[in-house]
Amino acid sequence: QGLRRAGIPATVYERTQTRTDWLQGYRIHINPHGSRALHDCLPPAVWQQFLDSVSVNDGGVGFATEQLDDLLRFSAAEILPEAGRVDAHYGASRISLREVLLTDLGDVVRFGKTFEHYEIGADERATAHFSDGTSATADLLIGADGANSRVRRQLLPDAQRIDTGILAVAGKHRLNGVALPRTLREDVNIVIPADSGFFFTAVWQPDHKTIVDEAPPPEFLLDNAAAYTFWAYADAASRLPADTETRSGADLQDVVLNRTSGWAPALHELIGGSDPVTVNAVRVRSATPVDPWPTGRVTLIGDAIHNMTPMAGVGANTALRDADLLRRQLIAVTSGDQELVPALREYEERMRDYGFAAVKRSLRNARQAGSTNRIARGAFRTVLRMVAGVPPLRRRMA
């Protein structure tokens, strides 16, 4: 979208077959970095389409014990002051965001193209080869092919992803007249138990305007027209059954209920009252820092280079930030202000800096989730209680 708006020819080779065969029925948080990138890249009408679709939640954010006793709780007014419609926080369904990003790109996106490998020609141009035997040649190849990127594998064969040792189980509870307490129906909650593990909840309201006419498959249950509370429990994989990743949704609920025995009844209702089809387990992985590489006609954005755990909630926003920065660098090239390789080198330097800072932060959070250091957990809970009672500290943390 950003390159097209700038008049720079670009083609997207997408491995899915159609624009609607990757309908993921859940939402993500777009922070000010992400919303600014979307605003600057999208044509005004498409940016408005994004604004028209996002959900709005007026809830706050709370840190609580496993009994749902508040350690520190902020109202929405404290943490989300008016930032304008550009540098703001939004709840976006992946379904609608995908449609926004595909708007008017019918002549740009080639579906059903699975990347295999690339070659650099004598003229230094990059040729991408696809599994159907076709290929495409351009001045620049951008790998945006996710955490298991084949472009990265060829460009940076030594780049590693690690198993953090953390396993997360997540689910969704419909909000259709349920008797959950207000904090679980309106606020984001970060539950810090005394011993080990981590529990997170977030509320998503329906999109203002549904963009996709085709409904997600029935088994998705929760789409961009449903209100729900999302929850996730994370702990060291060694403290969960060895076959956790392969268990059914109902069995996973039992696993989490067993691990949270003695917690607040409302949290048990949230976990046990979720439809089992929405419950799944995922092993948490993370990229490791990558040293600078010789800049050429192939580069990377998003999870293809700085895949991170979900424990900081900034993966998608960092990818959007990459896209906007790379767009700006390529505009400088077409305007004659920079040569291509130096412009790409500057992009890669800046992207590695903020991208791997986000990776480090999310990895730290993931490892804290698996910590059994009761002294450290107790100290953190004490600090939160202290902040709650000291207005200057409270304002600073907010």
Side-chain angles (χ1 to χ4, degrees), residues 196-232:
S196 70
F198 170 87
F199 196 79
F200 173 83
T201 78
V203 179
W204 295 111
Q205 297 298 330
D207 287 4
H208 278 166
K209 179 181 179 182
T210 301
I211 296 176
V212 183
D213 292 329
E214 295 184 51
E219 61 267 23
F220 277 28
L221 290 178
L222 299 170
D223 55 28
N224 54 349
Y228 61 85
T229 294
F230 167 87
W231 58 267

Coordinates of all heavy atoms in Angstrom, one line a residue, residues 196-232:
S196 N 4.1 -19.6 40.5 CA 4.6 -19.6 39.1 C 3.5 -19.4 38.1 O 2.3 -19.5 38.5 CB 5.3 -21.0 38.8 OG 4.4 -22.0 38.7
G197 N 3.9 -19.2 36.9 CA 2.9 -19.0 35.8 C 2.5 -17.5 35.6 O 2.9 -16.6 36.3
F198 N 1.6 -17.3 34.7 CA 1.2 -16.0 34.3 C -0.2 -16.2 33.6 O -0.4 -17.1 32.9 CB 2.2 -15.5 33.2 CG 1.8 -14.2 32.5 CD1 2.1 -13.0 33.1 CD2 1.2 -14.2 31.3 CE1 1.7 -11.8 32.4 CE2 0.8 -13.1 30.6 CZ 1.1 -11.8 31.2
F199 N -1.1 -15.2 33.9 CA -2.4 -15.3 33.3 C -2.8 -13.9 32.8 O -2.5 -12.9 33.5 CB -3.4 -15.7 34.4 CG -4.7 -16.2 33.8 CD1 -4.9 -17.4 33.2 CD2 -5.8 -15.3 33.8 CE1 -6.1 -17.9 32.7 CE2 -7.1 -15.7 33.2 CZ -7.2 -17.0 32.7
F200 N -3.3 -13.8 31.6 CA -3.6 -12.6 30.9 C -5.1 -12.6 30.4 O -5.5 -13.7 29.9 CB -2.6 -12.4 29.8 CG -2.9 -11.2 28.9 CD1 -2.5 -9.9 29.3 CD2 -3.6 -11.4 27.7 CE1 -2.8 -8.8 28.5 CE2 -3.9 -10.3 26.9 CZ -3.5 -9.0 27.2
T201 N -5.8 -11.5 30.5 CA -7.1 -11.4 29.8 C -7.2 -10.1 29.1 O -6.6 -9.1 29.5 CB -8.3 -11.5 30.9 OG1 -8.4 -10.3 31.6 CG2 -8.0 -12.6 31.9
A202 N -8.0 -10.1 28.0 CA -8.3 -8.9 27.3 C -9.6 -9.0 26.7 O -10.1 -10.1 26.3 CB -7.2 -8.7 26.2
V203 N -10.3 -7.9 26.6 CA -11.7 -7.9 26.1 C -11.7 -7.3 24.7 O -11.1 -6.2 24.4 CB -12.6 -7.1 27.0 CG1 -14.0 -7.0 26.5 CG2 -12.6 -7.6 28.4
W204 N -12.4 -7.9 23.8 CA -12.6 -7.4 22.4 C -14.0 -7.3 22.1 O -14.8 -8.2 22.2 CB -11.9 -8.3 21.4 CG -10.4 -8.4 21.6 CD1 -9.7 -9.5 22.0 CD2 -9.5 -7.4 21.3 NE1 -8.4 -9.2 22.0 CE2 -8.2 -7.9 21.6 CE3 -9.6 -6.1 20.9 CZ2 -7.0 -7.1 21.5 CZ3 -8.4 -5.3 20.8 CH2 -7.2 -5.8 21.1
Q205 N -14.4 -6.1 21.7 CA -15.8 -5.8 21.2 C -15.9 -6.0 19.7 O -14.8 -6.0 19.0 CB -16.2 -4.4 21.6 CG -16.2 -4.1 23.1 CD -17.2 -5.0 23.8 OE1 -18.2 -5.4 23.3 NE2 -16.9 -5.3 25.1
P206 N -17.1 -6.1 19.2 CA -17.2 -6.3 17.7 C -16.7 -5.1 16.9 O -16.6 -4.0 17.4 CB -18.7 -6.5 17.5 CG -19.2 -6.9 18.9 CD -18.4 -6.2 19.9
D207 N -16.3 -5.4 15.7 CA -15.9 -4.3 14.8 C -17.1 -3.4 14.6 O -18.2 -3.8 14.6 CB -15.5 -4.9 13.4 CG -14.2 -5.6 13.4 OD1 -13.6 -5.7 14.5 OD2 -13.7 -6.0 12.4
H208 N -16.7 -2.1 14.5 CA -17.8 -1.1 14.2 C -18.5 -1.5 12.9 O -19.7 -1.4 12.8 CB -17.2 0.3 14.0 CG -16.9 1.0 15.4 ND1 -16.2 2.1 15.5 CD2 -17.4 0.7 16.6 CE1 -16.1 2.5 16.8 NE2 -16.9 1.6 17.5
K209 N -17.7 -1.8 11.9 CA -18.2 -2.1 10.6 C -17.6 -3.4 10.1 O -16.3 -3.5 10.0 CB -18.0 -1.0 9.6 CG -18.5 -1.2 8.2 CD -18.1 0.1 7.4 CE -18.6 -0.1 5.9 NZ -18.2 1.0 5.1
T210 N -18.4 -4.4 9.7 CA -17.8 -5.6 9.2 C -17.4 -5.4 7.7 O -18.3 -5.1 6.9 CB -18.8 -6.8 9.3 OG1 -19.1 -6.9 10.7 CG2 -18.2 -8.1 8.8
I211 N -16.1 -5.7 7.4 CA -15.7 -5.5 6.0 C -15.9 -6.7 5.2 O -16.3 -6.6 4.0 CB -14.2 -5.1 6.0 CG1 -14.0 -3.7 6.8 CG2 -13.6 -5.0 4.6 CD1 -12.6 -3.3 6.9
V212 N -15.6 -7.9 5.7 CA -15.6 -9.1 4.9 C -17.1 -9.6 4.8 O -17.8 -9.8 5.8 CB -14.8 -10.2 5.6 CG1 -14.8 -11.5 4.7 CG2 -13.3 -9.7 5.7
D213 N -17.5 -9.8 3.6 CA -18.9 -10.3 3.5 C -19.0 -11.8 3.8 O -20.0 -12.3 4.3 CB -19.4 -10.1 2.0 CG -19.6 -8.6 1.7 OD1 -19.9 -7.9 2.6 OD2 -19.3 -8.2 0.6
E214 N -17.9 -12.6 3.5 CA -17.9 -14.0 3.7 C -17.6 -14.2 5.2 O -16.6 -13.7 5.8 CB -16.8 -14.7 2.9 CG -17.0 -14.6 1.4 CD -15.9 -15.4 0.7 OE1 -15.7 -16.6 1.1 OE2 -15.4 -14.9 -0.2
A215 N -18.5 -15.0 5.9 CA -18.3 -15.3 7.3 C -17.2 -16.3 7.5 O -17.0 -17.1 6.6 CB -19.6 -15.8 7.9
P216 N -16.4 -16.3 8.6 CA -15.4 -17.3 8.8 C -16.1 -18.7 9.0 O -17.3 -18.7 9.2 CB -14.8 -16.9 10.2 CG -15.1 -15.4 10.3 CD -16.5 -15.2 9.6
P217 N -15.4 -19.8 8.8 CA -16.0 -21.1 8.9 C -16.6 -21.2 10.3 O -16.2 -20.6 11.3 CB -14.8 -22.0 8.8 CG -13.8 -21.2 8.0 CD -14.0 -19.8 8.4
P218 N -17.7 -22.0 10.4 CA -18.4 -22.1 11.7 C -17.5 -22.6 12.9 O -17.7 -22.2 14.0 CB -19.5 -23.2 11.4 CG -19.7 -23.2 9.9 CD -18.4 -22.8 9.4
E219 N -16.5 -23.4 12.6 CA -15.6 -23.9 13.7 C -14.8 -22.8 14.3 O -14.2 -23.0 15.4 CB -14.7 -25.0 13.2 CG -13.8 -24.6 12.0 CD -14.4 -24.9 10.7 OE1 -15.6 -24.9 10.6 OE2 -13.6 -25.0 9.7
F220 N -14.7 -21.6 13.7 CA -14.0 -20.5 14.3 C -14.8 -19.9 15.5 O -14.2 -19.4 16.4 CB -13.8 -19.3 13.3 CG -12.6 -19.6 12.4 CD1 -12.1 -20.8 12.1 CD2 -11.9 -18.5 11.8 CE1 -11.0 -21.1 11.3 CE2 -10.8 -18.7 11.0 CZ -10.4 -20.0 10.7
L221 N -16.1 -20.0 15.4 CA -17.0 -19.6 16.5 C -16.9 -18.1 16.8 O -18.0 -17.5 16.9 CB -16.6 -20.4 17.8 CG -17.0 -21.9 17.8 CD1 -16.5 -22.5 19.2 CD2 -18.4 -22.1 17.6
L222 N -15.8 -17.6 17.0 CA -15.7 -16.1 17.3 C -15.1 -15.4 16.2 O -13.9 -15.6 15.8 CB -14.8 -16.0 18.6 CG -15.4 -16.7 19.8 CD1 -14.4 -16.7 20.9 CD2 -16.7 -16.0 20.2
D223 N -15.8 -14.4 15.6 CA -15.3 -13.7 14.5 C -15.3 -12.2 14.8 O -15.3 -11.8 16.0 CB -16.2 -14.0 13.2 CG -17.6 -13.7 13.5 OD1 -17.9 -12.8 14.3 OD2 -18.5 -14.3 12.8
N224 N -15.2 -11.3 13.8 CA -15.1 -9.9 14.1 C -16.5 -9.3 14.4 O -16.5 -8.1 14.5 CB -14.5 -9.2 12.9 CG -15.2 -9.5 11.6 OD1 -16.1 -10.4 11.5 ND2 -14.9 -8.8 10.5
A225 N -17.5 -10.1 14.6 CA -18.8 -9.6 15.0 C -19.2 -10.0 16.4 O -20.3 -9.8 16.8 CB -19.9 -10.0 14.0
A226 N -18.3 -10.7 17.1 CA -18.5 -11.2 18.4 C -17.7 -10.5 19.5 O -16.6 -10.2 19.2 CB -18.2 -12.7 18.4
A227 N -18.3 -10.4 20.6 CA -17.6 -9.8 21.8 C -17.1 -11.0 22.6 O -17.9 -11.9 22.9 CB -18.5 -8.9 22.6
Y228 N -15.9 -10.9 23.1 CA -15.4 -12.0 23.9 C -14.2 -11.5 24.8 O -13.6 -10.5 24.5 CB -14.9 -13.2 23.0 CG -13.8 -12.9 22.1 CD1 -12.4 -12.9 22.5 CD2 -14.0 -12.5 20.7 CE1 -11.4 -12.6 21.6 CE2 -13.0 -12.2 19.9 CZ -11.7 -12.3 20.3 OH -10.6 -12.0 19.4
T229 N -14.0 -12.3 25.8 CA -12.8 -12.1 26.6 C -11.8 -13.2 26.2 O -12.1 -14.4 26.3 CB -13.1 -12.2 28.1 OG1 -14.0 -11.1 28.5 CG2 -11.8 -12.1 29.0
F230 N -10.6 -12.7 25.8 CA -9.5 -13.6 25.5 C -8.7 -13.9 26.8 O -8.5 -13.0 27.5 CB -8.7 -13.0 24.4 CG -7.3 -13.7 24.2 CD1 -7.2 -14.7 23.3 CD2 -6.2 -13.3 24.9 CE1 -6.0 -15.4 23.1 CE2 -5.0 -13.9 24.7 CZ -4.9 -14.9 23.8
W231 N -8.3 -15.1 27.0 CA -7.4 -15.4 28.1 C -6.3 -16.3 27.7 O -6.3 -17.0 26.7 CB -8.2 -16.1 29.3 CG -8.9 -17.4 28.9 CD1 -10.2 -17.5 28.4 CD2 -8.3 -18.7 28.9 NE1 -10.4 -18.9 28.2 CE2 -9.3 -19.6 28.5 CE3 -7.0 -19.2 29.2 CZ2 -9.0 -21.0 28.4 CZ3 -6.8 -20.6 29.1 CH2 -7.8 -21.4 28.7
A232 N -5.2 -16.2 28.4 CA -4.0 -17.0 28.2 C -3.3 -17.3 29.5 O -3.1 -16.4 30.3 CB -3.1 -16.3 27.2

